[in-house]
Amino acid sequence: MKKCVIIYNPNSGKKIKKDFLATFIDVLLDNNYVPEVIFSRYKGHIIKIVEELDYVDLVISIGGDGTFNESVTGNFKRKNPLLLSHIPVGTTNDIGAMFGYGKDIIENLRMLLDGVEKNIDICTVNDRPFVYVAGFGKFMNVPYETSRNLKKKYGYVAYLLEGIKEFNNSTKLYDITYQIDNEVYNGLYSFGIMSNATRIAGINDFMKNVKLDDDKFEVLLCNITKKKDIVKSLYYLTTSDITKVPGFYFHKVNKMIIKFNSDDKRNWCIDGEKLEQETNTYEIKVKKGLRILLPKKNIEMLFSSDNNAKK
């Protein structure tokens, strides 16, 4: 029998019945896994749990996007990284939707156990890992400033309510200098997004032709400030290629350095959580080789090749 650890964040997303764990354990036993269940108790706890685990064959994190971020962060601190997996029960579940999961948590587990191992790229901001997206500026405060009670009560709608509040606030432009491929650029931008994902903020195909194993991440910078132009850009997000819209600047890179030329307050978000770093300079780069078990559903779409798949 193989060893499996389930790490469950009971504070993620809408409230679900905890008796799902009994069925979860039965399914794992039927698939030749001996499971252990660990509940996270505070923000950052999962990082410590994963970092200090004895060797096991599989780690399954259950929670939102931030839950999986903590699992990955803990794994990066290990000398002998573990095989990770994630099942979504959060509010937006961008990562889970990208991986091909649905709403039935037991069916998601069965899909996972019938899945394949892949090596995926993980990006870092000043060596802090993010699984799918990091960003600064307008709207980046919405994920971490939306109250937990509202998320549990209203789900994704809670983010929309907080987003409307932020929309009505004035839009600040940040004076930044950034370096990509030995080229240096300078400009005023209202927000910037660095991502390795097909789905962001509940929007599918936010970026086009994204692959999780190409040693690249996507960068989108915006200098839009007028409310009417913000509305237009939100419309383009769901109808066309946002990277070709005036006011947006797109790059595909494996390393980027951003320097803020003032000490003004800025909203930095990383996988839905606030990034707490007192610095004006941020280095974003790719770290390859995180092993993850994924459902088969979206493998062909998400990866440039299937050479490293392991059933």
Side-chain angles (χ1 to χ4, degrees):
M1 298 284 280
K2 294 178 285 187
K3 294 181 180 180
C4 171
V5 168
I6 301 167
I7 304 175
Y8 175 43
N9 180 359
N11 294 315
S12 287
K14 291 185 176 181
K15 189 174 182 179
I16 60 174
K17 296 179 180 179
K18 292 190 175 57
D19 60 4
F20 82 88
L21 283 170
T23 306
F24 230 70
I25 290 170
D26 287 342
V27 172
L28 284 164
L29 288 170
D30 289 342
N31 283 269
N32 202 37
Y33 284 98
V34 177
E36 175 187 1
V37 180
I38 303 175
F39 287 79
S40 67
R41 300 192 302 271
Y42 52 85
K43 184 178 179 180
H45 189 201
I46 295 171
I47 298 174
K48 181 178 175 64
I49 292 170
V50 174
E51 181 183 8
E52 297 180 354
L53 277 176
D54 291 333
Y55 181 82
V56 294
D57 297 285
L58 178 64
V59 176
I60 303 175
S61 58
I62 304 176
D65 297 329
T67 298
F68 190 46
N69 176 284
E70 288 194 20
S71 182
V72 169
T73 301
N75 208 37
F76 265 93
K77 292 176 177 288
R78 295 178 59 91
K79 291 182 179 179
N80 56 336
L82 303 169
L83 175 63
L84 301 185
S85 62
H86 179 68
I87 291 184
V89 295
T91 305
T92 306
N93 296 320
D94 284 323
I95 296 171
M98 178 174 69
F99 288 166
Y101 289 116
K103 294 183 178 180
D104 187 325
I105 189 170
I106 302 304
E107 180 57 28
N108 285 342
L109 175 61
R110 294 193 174 100
M111 289 171 59
L112 173 68
L113 296 176
D114 188 44
V116 294
E117 287 183 31
K118 298 290 290 184
N119 290 329
I120 71 171
D121 298 337
I122 293 295
C123 298
T124 61
V125 178
N126 291 348
D127 294 323
R128 165 76 188 276
F130 65 92
V131 179
Y132 79 112
V133 67
F136 68 87
K138 187 72 171 178
F139 296 115
M140 294 301 139
N141 58 318
V142 170
Y144 58 78
E145 288 187 355
T146 303
S147 77
R148 181 169 290 171
N149 288 336
L150 282 178
K151 286 190 285 187
K152 284 186 175 294
K153 186 174 182 179
Y154 298 114
Y156 182 67
V157 174
Y159 289 119
L160 297 179
L161 295 174
E162 191 68 30
I164 292 171
K165 186 191 303 183
E166 174 61 18
F167 172 79
N168 289 321
N169 292 334
S170 61
T171 300
K172 178 180 177 55
L173 286 173
Y174 299 90
D175 180 7
I176 71 169
T177 300
Y178 65 95
Q179 180 178 330
I180 292 175
D181 296 331
N182 296 318
E183 295 287 337
V184 177
Y185 306 83
N186 179 259
L188 299 172
Y189 300 97
S190 53
F191 73 84
I193 292 174
M194 289 62 67
S195 70
N196 189 36
T198 59
R199 176 180 161 116
I200 300 172
I203 301 171
N204 291 316
D205 296 322
F206 191 101
M207 302 281 195
K208 309 297 181 184
N209 302 316
V210 174
K211 302 298 180 183
L212 304 187
D213 62 344
D214 62 356
D215 196 29
K216 302 284 186 181
F217 61 91
E218 286 68 36
V219 178
L220 191 66
L221 297 167
C222 174
N223 63 10
I224 294 173
T225 59
K226 294 181 180 179
K227 289 182 180 180
K228 65 176 183 179
D229 293 330
I230 293 174
V231 171
K232 287 181 182 178
S233 67
L234 292 173
Y235 171 75
Y236 285 129
L237 277 174
T238 58
T239 59
S240 63
D241 187 346
I242 192 66
T243 66
K244 301 186 186 311
V245 176
F248 286 85
Y249 304 86
F250 177 74
H251 304 274
K252 192 178 185 75
V253 300
N254 63 10
K255 184 178 179 181
M256 178 183 191
I257 298 175
I258 301 176
K259 180 180 179 182
F260 287 81
N261 298 318
S262 72
D263 293 326
D264 295 340
K265 179 184 176 182
R266 63 196 75 101
N267 303 316
W268 261 101
C269 181
I270 182 166
D271 286 347
E273 303 294 334
K274 187 174 184 178
L275 178 63
E276 304 278 5
Q277 290 189 352
E278 296 296 328
T279 180
N280 279 10
T281 303
Y282 300 83
E283 183 183 55
I284 303 97
K285 59 186 177 182
V286 174
K287 288 191 175 182
K288 297 183 69 65
L290 175 73
R291 281 198 310 140
I292 182 172
L293 183 63
L294 294 170
K296 297 174 182 176
K297 185 176 179 180
N298 290 342
I299 291 293
E300 185 175 344
M301 176 184 72
L302 294 174
F303 292 87
S304 56
S305 68
D306 203 38
N307 294 331
N308 62 346
K310 181 179 178 181
K311 294 183 179 180

